[in-house]
Amino acid sequence: MQVNDNNFQPVIVAFCCNWCSYAGADLSGTNRLNYPTNVKIIRVPCSCRVNPMFILRAFQKGADGVIICGCHPGDCHYTSGNYYTRRRITLLYSMLDFLGIERNRTRLEWVSAAEGAKFAATMQQFTEDVRKLGPNRRLEDLRCRKQ
Amino acid sequence: MNKNLKEQVLRSSGVNVLKCMRCGKCSGTCPSYDEMEYHPHQFVYMVEKGDIDTLMNSNSVYKCLTCFACVERCPRGVEPAKVVEAVRLAAVRQQGSNHLSPVQIPDMLDEDLPQQAIVTAFRKYAK
Amino acid sequence: MKTFTYYPGCTLRTKAKDLDAYARSCAEALGIALEEPADWQCCGGAYTTAKDEIATKLSAVRTLNAAKQAGNPLVTVCSACHNVIKQTNYDISRDEDMAQKVNNYLKLDEAYTGETTVYHYLEMLRDVVGFDNIKSKVTKPLKGKKIAAYYGCLLLRPAKILAMDNPENPTIMEDFIKAIGGTPVIYAQRNECCGGYITMEDKAQAVKRSSAVMNSAADMGADMVITACPLCLYNLKKNSGSQIPVYYFTELLAEALGLKEDTNE
Amino acid sequence: MQRIGVFVCHCGTNIAATVDVKAVAEALSHEPGVVISQDYQYMCSESGQNLVKDAIKEHKLTGVVVCSCSPRMHENTFRKAAASVGLNPYLVEIANIREQCSWIHKDIATATDKAVILGKAAVAKVHLNAPLTAGESPVAKRALVIGGGIAGIQTALDIAEAGFDVDIVEKKSTIGGKMAQIDKTFPTLDCAACILTPKMVEASQNEHITIHSFSEVSEVKGFVGNFTVTIKKKARYVDEVKCTGCGACVEKCPMKKVPNEFNEGLDNRHAVYIPFAQAVPKVATIDPNYCMMLKNGKCGICSKVCTAGAIDYKQQDRFIEQKYGAIIVATGFNPINLDKYDEFAYNQCPDVVTSLELERLMNAAGPNGGTLLRPSDKTHPHTIVFVQCVGSRCDDEKGKPYCSKICCMYTAKHAMLIREKYPDTEVYVFYIDVRTPGKNFDEFYRRAVEQYNVHYIKGMVGKVTPKSDGKIDVQASDLLSNEQLHINADMVVLAAAIEPDKTARPLATMLTTQMDTNDFFTEAHPKLRPVESATAGIFLSGACQGPKDIPETVAQASAAAAKAIGLLVKNSITCNPCVAHSDELLCNGCSSCEKVCPYGAITYQDKEFRMPDRTTAIRRVASVNPAVCQGCGACTVACPSGAMDLNGFSNSQIMAEVDAICK
Amino acid sequence: MQETMIKRAKELLADGTVSRVIGWKKGEFAYDTTPAVFETAEELDRDFAFDDFTAANVSKYLVKESRKEGKILAFLKPCDTYSFNQLIKEHRVIRENVYIIGIPGGPKLDAEKIKAKGITGILGIKNENYTLKIETLYGTETMPFYEAICGKCESCKSKKHVIYDELIGEDGDILDSNRFDTVEKLENMTAQERFDFWREQLSKCIRCNACRNVCPACTCEKCVFDNPKSGIENKAASDSFEENLFHIIRAFHVAGRCTDCGECSRVCPQNIPLHLLNRKFIKDINELYGEYQAGADTVSRSPITDYTPDDCEPSVVHERGVE
């Protein structure tokens, strides 16, 4: 189901690791690289701090897209955190896909502290992708719908 | 400065002339340098300035061999040969501006000249 | 036996029949089947790099699509055809705008978006047949012959697209020369332009360019020069003023494989 | 009941121009628990901080939210301000409304909306903040310097000067690095060896300095103040202690055809070698790739001639482990490989050389004993062409995008030295720009032109054609006279771009430090913290951080030493209190967290617990060593029961932020 | 078989090897055999049962039982041994306090499937050459044995006991099961079809927590869903997303630890195929990180607490299956 409502303003939660991606986001600010206001960043020490619970919570509370950003594999400030992230999030995203949640609502990107431009471009693209999907068809309970 | 022409040349060539750092390696490597009035680095710079009519009216556009030596060796990935080609196309696409016409051909032929030379020349010099 | 769709190109049908005939007989001897598509058109001789040129790319796409339909890789022997077709193939697989416009023109059953793999005959010899394999089939090695390989510009550049060899220090033709028993001569002008089509516009310039190439080869002691391009052959022979013979590489290959008499009748 | 203060910064117009700060303050004043919400022009200024401090006192605040620039900028500033008036610093949260809002958005309405939401998220989080107290961990009073070039040597000497032990790990068989290969130095033209070798000797004789030559770092564990490093001492097949450096083995070694790295392969050395006369340590090394004894057991001459009995064909790699408080990276640079630049015929013609090769050709200890001769036929060159920017300032996959910085100056030096020594030699320099910022640098370059008549030509070489008569045709553009030149040269010298040493990338991974896309180490701040990496306790010295000449390298080396000393003088350092902790009542003891901890900070104990039914039970529970934990949070997600949580970034805090954003 | 087991249990009780026995006891009806702990020979003689309805996995009970005084005898079917092994790996059971007798596995029967045939008032069930003779209040009914077997036994993965102190009967082999077929079928549906499938299924959930309570991997001291401090505690659904969140998180928490014993789906009163969520994770882990069977041993590292530097990126999700 695709809704092409141009006025639709998706709610997007971005989890950024403190060392690379949050700094990359700061850099895109320092360089005045625009990306949509829809994106709100939550700072976490490492992408491996992102519990699948947080992602589901975001979807539960009305987020239309969730993106996680971390250091590039091999560059994790904590050596291996993003490797765990990669496995966990791959499995979780695959599960969400299995449950019928559109693939473009979830993303994991590696953004280094030097990649301000990549951060802005990624957020622009992600927002656009989510905007194209329209509001999140939540994993709602059919019994609630009937009432 | 001819803004429309400049835009047309930039679009047609697909080249970002602003990447040029003015090292002159294209002109250092060009095998047709001595035959040209304007040299590869000047093409890039003059397109940047929008001074395209001068280039179009110069014989230089017909001297480029499209050998891509400048493209291959440019340290900035500017691709001067594509700029030359775009300017040449801008010239020959104008009404009645073909640089080569079929009536000239018989005089140019010799028994060994490959067809390839003729078709290539037409592709380069005429529309 | 491996089958290739074979695109000879216009010049190989007229002024460069030798290049074509030797290419065919050698391929057969080396276990390669060359299938010529039913009706091909001239590639145009030069690739127009302009993004707004569509019509000049159609014939190359038709050829590429013929190979796709046949399910074969495509091989060409003329450097110019190879250059045009490979560049077209590269651009159509990456430039969506161009691909769409071209396909709109062609109205193919299924859009062509760069599916065919394009080989130059030399690449086919190196990557499919193998120079070692050729070496084992040579019956009349060109022993003691100092042979200068002339690449020109079309065979190597743009290197990113042609992806055939190091554009500044290529080895494919030198390896070929070794395989047929000759001694390669390295000279700096081997990858510089012979003047190409400028021979029509400005004879003097063509003379200057081709002389530079032949003088450089002579300076390094070449007995002969080989090339893959009919226009290069023309310029080097006609315009350089040099006495050193220039051959198509396929002719030497045929000679080394002992096929020359058969095809020369 | 929480009493939260909100402080919205204008940052001059940086924030206020795109975010309606008054509206933000007003909106946040209605959030639960917020008792005061103010805006101010520069919250980080002293008066701004006083505003916060006064509010904390006056309103007895239990939490503070500052809506301002990135927490990476001023989180510490406001934490300190809060602490100064008795509020636990970890009860302060920053909402980043500058870098992540005002600077990236243009529309005031939407940017203000976003700023409000970011503020609400921070308020929601601060509701759940807990006061945290930083612990302390001891500092090992020893430093490790990785790389023994001039950068590493200078850093080690400075640290030793302050009285701390310092180890140098050098992968080659001698310290000295690139500077040892250089003939003269600009802009003074003094002999490199004359100023370097005394420093090398000083390092070897300093009681605080230990040099591990022919060694590599193989593992790094731990954290600032407390690194444990494993150093691999590669087998050199010579006992370092016994070897006197007499050179008898080198003299008698029958294997004489080994390319000599020290002379850039321009001549040969023996299979057993001492790189150069002033090597430190002056100890022979056997090259196992060429030694006949090591390859097939046939020879053994060196062992027979060694009166000290130092040759040991059975030597193995050894590993030593050492604790360090600080690590200084000084891995240096190399010229790039020129295989992709064969238009300059580097691979076809021996008389086309790199600048570093020219240094050796001109050096008295070089292959020609200091007489400049063409490598091909050992004749005197009469025309030499220098090509600048070979591989530097490139925007393609062949070269490097940056300026290598040192080439303009060393080329002027080379040109000048050649003209000085061989006035009959014409020297041409093809340049794009001549970049000479530095004390006495431009004067130096001008001297090359004005006093020594070096021909500087603005343009670039396009093609180099070696000819059968040994001459080299150099085809180039002269942009000022607008002509294409052909110079009939005897030698061509290429100013190859420099790149970080190849060992730097794996080292960065071991050290968990960041690198840029060119493999230069990234400094903690490009302007204000140029010699520190973002990883605490890791410092950067010399060209590993970016291209540098010798004066700059030495300056940075001393700066890095000063920073390291600043750490080593402390007996202990304050730990980050944002570490993981385990709720023993919830812990299953399943070991999932332990498996993902990169620091080994988690251990298990069997503990007795009173159960709800008043019985006692022994359970296996996790505990976190707060001095070892670095606070990544990997364990918190591995834990299914939620027993493991992270201070400062707890599950409930992050979920509160999520809720506030999605509301 | 039942007699052999009782005899051996009595011996072990008598010689003091164990002080308790965990097995199954007869219920009120012929089909509700349930797990039970026995302390005396009398209890064993009176109540111990081992029949076609002993599908329940008793290994989870050992988390508590193995911490009590004395040793306990546990009868474990092949699938149950995987669960037990996994609990050893996670330090949840104390191996030394359990004496394990491996017993033959299923297929076991599912009474619901018999009732679904309209057979009610069941008094007794006999298996005669794989035809069930069902005595009811209303006379004798018959149905083929294989039409009544448990869902989890339909795709049995192993007849091999991975841990035991002694065996009764013979050990079997790891089977080449078809257990991922349904997952694959779902993967090949469109996103909309999958979405609709799971809406339909998960909307049936009454949040009775049976799946969690029976799961041998769900042995947390306190479940996050019961912990007010976890931030996601909720006994009653606060919104329509709640049940989904519960099932996804539950599946994620047991990912890499779930042995695919199938108890969750067996006990679900609403017949939600919950095991498909777990199997999806198992299938992904096998495909992306290499074959892994939780509980096959007691030492290997779970794929979710492990990594390799060249693991695939999450975009692999986009490249597989159907959008």
Side-chain angles (χ1 to χ4, degrees), chain D residues 177-186 190-193 262 333 356 359-360 363 413-414 550:
Chain D
K178 288 286 173 296
M179 189 172 170
Q181 290 180 275
I182 294 173
D183 185 37
K184 301 269 191 322
T185 57
F186 60 76
D190 45 355
C191 143
F262 186 71
F333 73 95
L356 192 55
E359 293 280 356
R360 297 314 302 156
N363 191 290
K413 175 190 78 178
H414 290 155
I550 294 169

PDB file of all heavy atoms in Angstrom, chain D residues 177-186 190-193 262 333 356 359-360 363 413-414 550:
ATOM      1  N   GLY D 177      63.840   6.185  10.859  1.00  0.00           N
ATOM      2  CA  GLY D 177      62.752   6.433   9.910  1.00  0.00           C
ATOM      3  C   GLY D 177      63.193   7.117   8.633  1.00  0.00           C
ATOM      4  O   GLY D 177      64.320   6.941   8.155  1.00  0.00           O
ATOM      5  N   LYS D 178      62.285   7.895   8.067  1.00  0.00           N
ATOM      6  CA  LYS D 178      62.536   8.536   6.781  1.00  0.00           C
ATOM      7  C   LYS D 178      63.651   9.575   6.880  1.00  0.00           C
ATOM      8  O   LYS D 178      64.424   9.775   5.950  1.00  0.00           O
ATOM      9  CB  LYS D 178      61.263   9.224   6.280  1.00  0.00           C
ATOM     10  CG  LYS D 178      60.184   8.280   5.812  1.00  0.00           C
ATOM     11  CD  LYS D 178      60.523   7.670   4.473  1.00  0.00           C
ATOM     12  CE  LYS D 178      59.512   6.597   4.120  1.00  0.00           C
ATOM     13  NZ  LYS D 178      59.520   5.456   5.057  1.00  0.00           N
ATOM     14  N   MET D 179      63.747  10.237   8.019  1.00  0.00           N
ATOM     15  CA  MET D 179      64.723  11.322   8.120  1.00  0.00           C
ATOM     16  C   MET D 179      66.136  10.780   7.953  1.00  0.00           C
ATOM     17  O   MET D 179      67.021  11.465   7.428  1.00  0.00           O
ATOM     18  CB  MET D 179      64.590  12.041   9.462  1.00  0.00           C
ATOM     19  CG  MET D 179      65.427  13.314   9.532  1.00  0.00           C
ATOM     20  SD  MET D 179      65.079  14.253  11.009  1.00  0.00           S
ATOM     21  CE  MET D 179      66.408  15.467  10.948  1.00  0.00           C
ATOM     22  N   ALA D 180      66.348   9.529   8.357  1.00  0.00           N
ATOM     23  CA  ALA D 180      67.671   8.925   8.217  1.00  0.00           C
ATOM     24  C   ALA D 180      68.053   8.758   6.747  1.00  0.00           C
ATOM     25  O   ALA D 180      69.234   8.681   6.408  1.00  0.00           O
ATOM     26  CB  ALA D 180      67.705   7.575   8.929  1.00  0.00           C
ATOM     27  N   GLN D 181      67.032   8.697   5.882  1.00  0.00           N
ATOM     28  CA  GLN D 181      67.321   8.507   4.454  1.00  0.00           C
ATOM     29  C   GLN D 181      67.581   9.832   3.741  1.00  0.00           C
ATOM     30  O   GLN D 181      68.041   9.854   2.614  1.00  0.00           O
ATOM     31  CB  GLN D 181      66.129   7.807   3.782  1.00  0.00           C
ATOM     32  CG  GLN D 181      65.960   6.353   4.178  1.00  0.00           C
ATOM     33  CD  GLN D 181      64.758   5.750   3.467  1.00  0.00           C
ATOM     34  OE1 GLN D 181      63.636   5.873   3.914  1.00  0.00           O
ATOM     35  NE2 GLN D 181      65.007   5.115   2.334  1.00  0.00           N
ATOM     36  N   ILE D 182      67.226  10.920   4.411  1.00  0.00           N
ATOM     37  CA  ILE D 182      67.293  12.224   3.760  1.00  0.00           C
ATOM     38  C   ILE D 182      68.714  12.782   3.835  1.00  0.00           C
ATOM     39  O   ILE D 182      69.416  12.603   4.824  1.00  0.00           O
ATOM     40  CB  ILE D 182      66.258  13.173   4.407  1.00  0.00           C
ATOM     41  CG1 ILE D 182      64.844  12.657   4.090  1.00  0.00           C
ATOM     42  CG2 ILE D 182      66.428  14.595   3.919  1.00  0.00           C
ATOM     43  CD1 ILE D 182      63.753  13.404   4.799  1.00  0.00           C
ATOM     44  N   ASP D 183      69.083  13.495   2.761  1.00  0.00           N
ATOM     45  CA  ASP D 183      70.441  14.019   2.663  1.00  0.00           C
ATOM     46  C   ASP D 183      70.582  15.333   3.428  1.00  0.00           C
ATOM     47  O   ASP D 183      71.307  15.431   4.405  1.00  0.00           O
ATOM     48  CB  ASP D 183      70.786  14.196   1.180  1.00  0.00           C
ATOM     49  CG  ASP D 183      72.220  14.620   0.994  1.00  0.00           C
ATOM     50  OD1 ASP D 183      73.076  14.135   1.776  1.00  0.00           O
ATOM     51  OD2 ASP D 183      72.501  15.413   0.084  1.00  0.00           O
ATOM     52  N   LYS D 184      69.848  16.343   2.965  1.00  0.00           N
ATOM     53  CA  LYS D 184      69.899  17.655   3.624  1.00  0.00           C
ATOM     54  C   LYS D 184      68.477  18.072   3.975  1.00  0.00           C
ATOM     55  O   LYS D 184      67.521  17.558   3.398  1.00  0.00           O
ATOM     56  CB  LYS D 184      70.499  18.701   2.667  1.00  0.00           C
ATOM     57  CG  LYS D 184      71.910  18.383   2.189  1.00  0.00           C
ATOM     58  CD  LYS D 184      72.910  18.995   3.118  1.00  0.00           C
ATOM     59  CE  LYS D 184      74.346  18.968   2.623  1.00  0.00           C
ATOM     60  NZ  LYS D 184      74.784  17.787   1.903  1.00  0.00           N
ATOM     61  N   THR D 185      68.350  19.024   4.884  1.00  0.00           N
ATOM     62  CA  THR D 185      67.014  19.464   5.266  1.00  0.00           C
ATOM     63  C   THR D 185      66.803  20.928   4.881  1.00  0.00           C
ATOM     64  O   THR D 185      67.741  21.726   4.917  1.00  0.00           O
ATOM     65  CB  THR D 185      66.806  19.337   6.787  1.00  0.00           C
ATOM     66  OG1 THR D 185      67.820  20.092   7.445  1.00  0.00           O
ATOM     67  CG2 THR D 185      66.895  17.895   7.236  1.00  0.00           C
ATOM     68  N   PHE D 186      65.565  21.221   4.484  1.00  0.00           N
ATOM     69  CA  PHE D 186      65.240  22.619   4.179  1.00  0.00           C
ATOM     70  C   PHE D 186      64.728  23.304   5.439  1.00  0.00           C
ATOM     71  O   PHE D 186      64.268  22.608   6.350  1.00  0.00           O
ATOM     72  CB  PHE D 186      64.200  22.695   3.048  1.00  0.00           C
ATOM     73  CG  PHE D 186      62.892  22.004   3.345  1.00  0.00           C
ATOM     74  CD1 PHE D 186      61.934  22.587   4.197  1.00  0.00           C
ATOM     75  CD2 PHE D 186      62.581  20.765   2.773  1.00  0.00           C
ATOM     76  CE1 PHE D 186      60.730  21.950   4.466  1.00  0.00           C
ATOM     77  CE2 PHE D 186      61.370  20.130   3.045  1.00  0.00           C
ATOM     78  CZ  PHE D 186      60.454  20.721   3.891  1.00  0.00           C
ATOM     79  N   ASP D 190      71.047  22.031   6.284  1.00  0.00           N
ATOM     80  CA  ASP D 190      71.997  21.285   7.109  1.00  0.00           C
ATOM     81  C   ASP D 190      71.783  19.792   6.915  1.00  0.00           C
ATOM     82  O   ASP D 190      70.721  19.338   6.509  1.00  0.00           O
ATOM     83  CB  ASP D 190      71.935  21.685   8.585  1.00  0.00           C
ATOM     84  CG  ASP D 190      70.521  21.799   9.088  1.00  0.00           C
ATOM     85  OD1 ASP D 190      69.592  21.652   8.264  1.00  0.00           O
ATOM     86  OD2 ASP D 190      70.340  22.028  10.291  1.00  0.00           O
ATOM     87  N   CYS D 191      72.820  19.061   7.214  1.00  0.00           N
ATOM     88  CA  CYS D 191      72.823  17.630   6.940  1.00  0.00           C
ATOM     89  C   CYS D 191      71.886  16.913   7.906  1.00  0.00           C
ATOM     90  O   CYS D 191      71.938  17.119   9.120  1.00  0.00           O
ATOM     91  CB  CYS D 191      74.261  17.154   7.053  1.00  0.00           C
ATOM     92  SG  CYS D 191      74.468  15.554   7.763  1.00  0.00           S
ATOM     93  N   ALA D 192      70.966  16.105   7.333  1.00  0.00           N
ATOM     94  CA  ALA D 192      69.946  15.448   8.143  1.00  0.00           C
ATOM     95  C   ALA D 192      70.583  14.520   9.166  1.00  0.00           C
ATOM     96  O   ALA D 192      70.190  14.483  10.333  1.00  0.00           O
ATOM     97  CB  ALA D 192      68.979  14.690   7.248  1.00  0.00           C
ATOM     98  N   ALA D 193      71.570  13.750   8.711  1.00  0.00           N
ATOM     99  CA  ALA D 193      72.213  12.785   9.608  1.00  0.00           C
ATOM    100  C   ALA D 193      72.861  13.499  10.794  1.00  0.00           C
ATOM    101  O   ALA D 193      72.845  13.003  11.927  1.00  0.00           O
ATOM    102  CB  ALA D 193      73.243  11.981   8.841  1.00  0.00           C
ATOM    103  N   PHE D 262      67.162   0.591   2.338  1.00  0.00           N
ATOM    104  CA  PHE D 262      67.597   1.877   2.856  1.00  0.00           C
ATOM    105  C   PHE D 262      67.975   2.815   1.716  1.00  0.00           C
ATOM    106  O   PHE D 262      67.765   4.016   1.786  1.00  0.00           O
ATOM    107  CB  PHE D 262      68.762   1.699   3.827  1.00  0.00           C
ATOM    108  CG  PHE D 262      69.158   2.991   4.488  1.00  0.00           C
ATOM    109  CD1 PHE D 262      68.344   3.583   5.446  1.00  0.00           C
ATOM    110  CD2 PHE D 262      70.338   3.642   4.138  1.00  0.00           C
ATOM    111  CE1 PHE D 262      68.686   4.775   6.040  1.00  0.00           C
ATOM    112  CE2 PHE D 262      70.690   4.845   4.722  1.00  0.00           C
ATOM    113  CZ  PHE D 262      69.865   5.415   5.682  1.00  0.00           C
ATOM    114  N   PHE D 333      54.966   7.993   7.331  1.00  0.00           N
ATOM    115  CA  PHE D 333      54.454   8.009   5.956  1.00  0.00           C
ATOM    116  C   PHE D 333      55.371   7.229   5.021  1.00  0.00           C
ATOM    117  O   PHE D 333      56.479   6.843   5.385  1.00  0.00           O
ATOM    118  CB  PHE D 333      54.349   9.453   5.456  1.00  0.00           C
ATOM    119  CG  PHE D 333      55.711  10.077   5.157  1.00  0.00           C
ATOM    120  CD1 PHE D 333      56.241  10.062   3.868  1.00  0.00           C
ATOM    121  CD2 PHE D 333      56.455  10.649   6.169  1.00  0.00           C
ATOM    122  CE1 PHE D 333      57.486  10.607   3.598  1.00  0.00           C
ATOM    123  CE2 PHE D 333      57.704  11.202   5.906  1.00  0.00           C
ATOM    124  CZ  PHE D 333      58.225  11.184   4.621  1.00  0.00           C
ATOM    125  N   LEU D 356      62.570  10.674  -3.127  1.00  0.00           N
ATOM    126  CA  LEU D 356      63.276   9.980  -2.046  1.00  0.00           C
ATOM    127  C   LEU D 356      64.471   9.203  -2.627  1.00  0.00           C
ATOM    128  O   LEU D 356      65.536   9.118  -2.008  1.00  0.00           O
ATOM    129  CB  LEU D 356      62.316   9.044  -1.295  1.00  0.00           C
ATOM    130  CG  LEU D 356      62.831   8.468   0.023  1.00  0.00           C
ATOM    131  CD1 LEU D 356      63.287   9.573   0.966  1.00  0.00           C
ATOM    132  CD2 LEU D 356      61.767   7.609   0.696  1.00  0.00           C
ATOM    133  N   GLU D 359      67.203  11.586  -3.045  1.00  0.00           N
ATOM    134  CA  GLU D 359      67.910  11.841  -1.786  1.00  0.00           C
ATOM    135  C   GLU D 359      69.054  10.851  -1.608  1.00  0.00           C
ATOM    136  O   GLU D 359      70.166  11.208  -1.235  1.00  0.00           O
ATOM    137  CB  GLU D 359      66.956  11.700  -0.582  1.00  0.00           C
ATOM    138  CG  GLU D 359      65.868  12.748  -0.483  1.00  0.00           C
ATOM    139  CD  GLU D 359      66.347  14.072   0.118  1.00  0.00           C
ATOM    140  OE1 GLU D 359      67.520  14.143   0.538  1.00  0.00           O
ATOM    141  OE2 GLU D 359      65.540  15.016   0.140  1.00  0.00           O
ATOM    142  N   ARG D 360      68.755   9.583  -1.882  1.00  0.00           N
ATOM    143  CA  ARG D 360      69.785   8.560  -1.715  1.00  0.00           C
ATOM    144  C   ARG D 360      70.886   8.718  -2.757  1.00  0.00           C
ATOM    145  O   ARG D 360      72.062   8.519  -2.482  1.00  0.00           O
ATOM    146  CB  ARG D 360      69.183   7.150  -1.795  1.00  0.00           C
ATOM    147  CG  ARG D 360      68.178   6.805  -0.711  1.00  0.00           C
ATOM    148  CD  ARG D 360      68.626   7.187   0.691  1.00  0.00           C
ATOM    149  NE  ARG D 360      69.882   6.575   1.107  1.00  0.00           N
ATOM    150  CZ  ARG D 360      70.692   7.066   2.040  1.00  0.00           C
ATOM    151  NH1 ARG D 360      70.395   8.209   2.646  1.00  0.00           N
ATOM    152  NH2 ARG D 360      71.801   6.444   2.359  1.00  0.00           N
ATOM    153  N   ASN D 363      73.157  11.341  -1.579  1.00  0.00           N
ATOM    154  CA  ASN D 363      73.703  11.212  -0.229  1.00  0.00           C
ATOM    155  C   ASN D 363      75.078  10.570  -0.256  1.00  0.00           C
ATOM    156  O   ASN D 363      75.320   9.612  -0.999  1.00  0.00           O
ATOM    157  CB  ASN D 363      72.745  10.362   0.613  1.00  0.00           C
ATOM    158  CG  ASN D 363      73.102  10.405   2.080  1.00  0.00           C
ATOM    159  OD1 ASN D 363      74.114   9.854   2.489  1.00  0.00           O
ATOM    160  ND2 ASN D 363      72.276  11.070   2.864  1.00  0.00           N
ATOM    161  N   LYS D 413      64.760  22.438  -2.656  1.00  0.00           N
ATOM    162  CA  LYS D 413      66.024  22.034  -2.040  1.00  0.00           C
ATOM    163  C   LYS D 413      66.871  21.220  -3.020  1.00  0.00           C
ATOM    164  O   LYS D 413      68.055  21.508  -3.229  1.00  0.00           O
ATOM    165  CB  LYS D 413      65.722  21.210  -0.773  1.00  0.00           C
ATOM    166  CG  LYS D 413      66.938  20.614  -0.098  1.00  0.00           C
ATOM    167  CD  LYS D 413      66.544  19.624   0.983  1.00  0.00           C
ATOM    168  CE  LYS D 413      66.130  18.286   0.393  1.00  0.00           C
ATOM    169  NZ  LYS D 413      65.779  17.291   1.415  1.00  0.00           N
ATOM    170  N   HIS D 414      66.225  20.204  -3.629  1.00  0.00           N
ATOM    171  CA  HIS D 414      66.960  19.372  -4.587  1.00  0.00           C
ATOM    172  C   HIS D 414      67.522  20.213  -5.728  1.00  0.00           C
ATOM    173  O   HIS D 414      68.687  20.077  -6.118  1.00  0.00           O
ATOM    174  CB  HIS D 414      66.042  18.293  -5.174  1.00  0.00           C
ATOM    175  CG  HIS D 414      65.663  17.235  -4.180  1.00  0.00           C
ATOM    176  ND1 HIS D 414      64.517  16.491  -4.283  1.00  0.00           N
ATOM    177  CD2 HIS D 414      66.288  16.804  -3.072  1.00  0.00           C
ATOM    178  CE1 HIS D 414      64.445  15.649  -3.276  1.00  0.00           C
ATOM    179  NE2 HIS D 414      65.512  15.818  -2.524  1.00  0.00           N
ATOM    180  N   ILE D 550      59.723  18.273   8.629  1.00  0.00           N
ATOM    181  CA  ILE D 550      60.421  17.912   9.865  1.00  0.00           C
ATOM    182  C   ILE D 550      60.142  18.896  11.007  1.00  0.00           C
ATOM    183  O   ILE D 550      59.808  18.459  12.109  1.00  0.00           O
ATOM    184  CB  ILE D 550      61.934  17.729   9.601  1.00  0.00           C
ATOM    185  CG1 ILE D 550      62.134  16.519   8.683  1.00  0.00           C
ATOM    186  CG2 ILE D 550      62.694  17.511  10.910  1.00  0.00           C
ATOM    187  CD1 ILE D 550      63.528  16.389   8.128  1.00  0.00           C
TER     188      ILE D 550
END
